[in-house]
Amino acid sequence: KNNLIDNNLAYSNLKDGMYFQIYSINNTISNNRCGLNDNGISLWSSANANNVTNNYCFDNENYGILMLAVIHNNVTNNNFSNNGGGFYLNSVRNNTLKNNTVNNNFYYGIWLNSNNHDNKVLNNSCTGNRDGIVLWGDNRRNDIMNNTCANNNNNGIWLWNSIDGRNTINNNTIYSNDASGIWICNNENDTISNNTIYSNVDSGIFFEGSKNNTVENNNISTNTDKGIDMLSSGYNTIFNNTIQNN
């Protein structure tokens, strides 16, 4: 509790470079380099209200940072690149992920893998990953805003299998991904608004088996396939978008 972990090198460990668990709270984890570990930094099970800032986590086998069953952490201004994956989140709430560089990871840049609610993913750069940002499973009321998702091997943003998600995908810049800009699969009740989506190999926005979503005020242009593509989807509201030159 209330520790400063600053300017350390955590390198080539069998497990995690830095590991914080039950009631590791109110710590500042800053300016560390974590490489060639299992995970670079791990926050587990009630490691709450920590500030993780200005760290560089690279070449880790699994994730740059792993967050499991934690709340109220601020993860800002870090570089999580060239790992198995950048971020992995499961069962976390009310965390902020902001101003991070998440590039060239083998799997997903930022992966919210089920039961993640009320988190803010803001102003991150997610390029050169398999997918940029992924909300997979039951994720609700998350704000995905002001991110750049570009040059990923699949989708810029992928939403999958969240019923009554009420997630907000707003004001992101999504371009030059090798599949779709945004892929919405088996999702309901999300809002996709004010995004700039262009030059993706497939569609700008691809709906599959999704309903009751709102798509408004997006600029969708120069995608190779379609601007908005809908497969087995219904009861969505699409209005005030600019869709051109697809």
Side-chain angles (χ1 to χ4, degrees):
K1 181 177 180 180
N2 299 320
N3 298 291
L4 172 63
I5 300 93
D6 184 77
N7 199 32
N8 300 284
L9 174 63
Y11 190 76
S12 195
N13 295 289
L14 181 62
K15 293 191 175 180
D16 296 343
M18 295 188 175
Y19 182 92
F20 302 87
Q21 59 175 328
I22 300 172
Y23 303 123
S24 293
I25 61 174
N26 294 321
N27 300 294
T28 297
I29 304 158
S30 58
N31 301 308
N32 300 288
R33 292 170 58 87
C34 302
L36 290 176
N37 307 291
D38 188 5
N39 300 293
I41 297 171
S42 290
L43 304 177
W44 277 71
S45 189
S46 301
N48 300 328
N50 298 289
N51 290 308
V52 182
T53 184
N54 293 319
N55 300 284
Y56 179 33
C57 296
F58 59 97
D59 294 335
N60 295 288
E61 183 175 358
N62 287 327
Y63 301 100
I65 184 167
L66 181 148
M67 302 170 66
L68 177 65
V70 296
I71 62 172
H72 298 303
N73 293 285
N74 292 310
V75 184
T76 59
N77 297 308
N78 301 281
N79 188 328
F80 301 120
S81 297
N82 299 297
N83 304 286
F87 278 84
Y88 177 88
L89 286 70
N90 186 280
S91 301
V92 308
R93 290 170 171 78
N94 297 110
N95 299 279
T96 298
L97 285 53
K98 184 177 181 182
N99 293 334
N100 299 287
T101 299
V102 193
N103 295 343
N104 302 315
N105 295 287
F106 184 76
Y107 291 111
Y108 310 129
I110 299 176
W111 185 11
L112 283 70
N113 183 18
S114 192
N115 199 32
N116 301 290
H117 309 320
D118 303 300
N119 299 289
K120 296 184 182 300
V121 180
L122 311 174
N123 201 37
N124 301 285
S125 172
C126 299
T127 68
N129 308 288
R130 177 175 293 185
D131 295 85
I133 299 174
V134 178
L135 278 68
W136 209 59
D138 180 27
N139 295 290
R140 302 181 188 179
R141 300 180 305 277
N142 299 288
D143 292 335
I144 313 299
M145 301 175 63
N146 302 317
N147 302 284
T148 298
C149 297
N151 297 300
N152 295 290
N153 295 325
N154 286 327
N155 306 287
I157 296 176
W158 177 22
L159 311 177
W160 182 78
N161 207 34
S162 184
I163 306 304
D164 194 28
R166 288 173 283 160
N167 300 292
T168 299
I169 314 300
N170 179 261
N171 204 39
N172 301 284
T173 302
I174 305 167
Y175 65 93
S176 298
N177 298 287
D178 287 348
S180 293
I182 301 176
W183 182 22
I184 305 166
C185 184
N186 298 324
N187 257 52
E188 299 182 17
N189 298 314
D190 294 319
T191 299
I192 315 296
S193 61
N194 299 303
N195 300 285
T196 301
I197 306 169
Y198 65 95
S199 297
N200 297 286
V201 171
D202 290 336
S203 299
I205 301 176
F206 179 39
F207 283 92
E208 182 177 358
S210 296
K211 62 183 181 180
N212 296 325
N213 299 286
T214 299
V215 179
E216 60 178 321
N217 298 321
N218 300 283
N219 191 329
I220 305 169
S221 64
T222 64
N223 299 286
T224 303
D225 193 359
K226 301 174 180 67
I228 297 177
D229 190 0
M230 308 193 78
L231 175 65
S232 302
S233 298
Y235 304 102
N236 298 288
T237 300
I238 300 172
F239 68 100
N240 287 342
N241 300 283
T242 299
I243 305 170
Q244 60 185 353
N245 300 321
N246 298 286

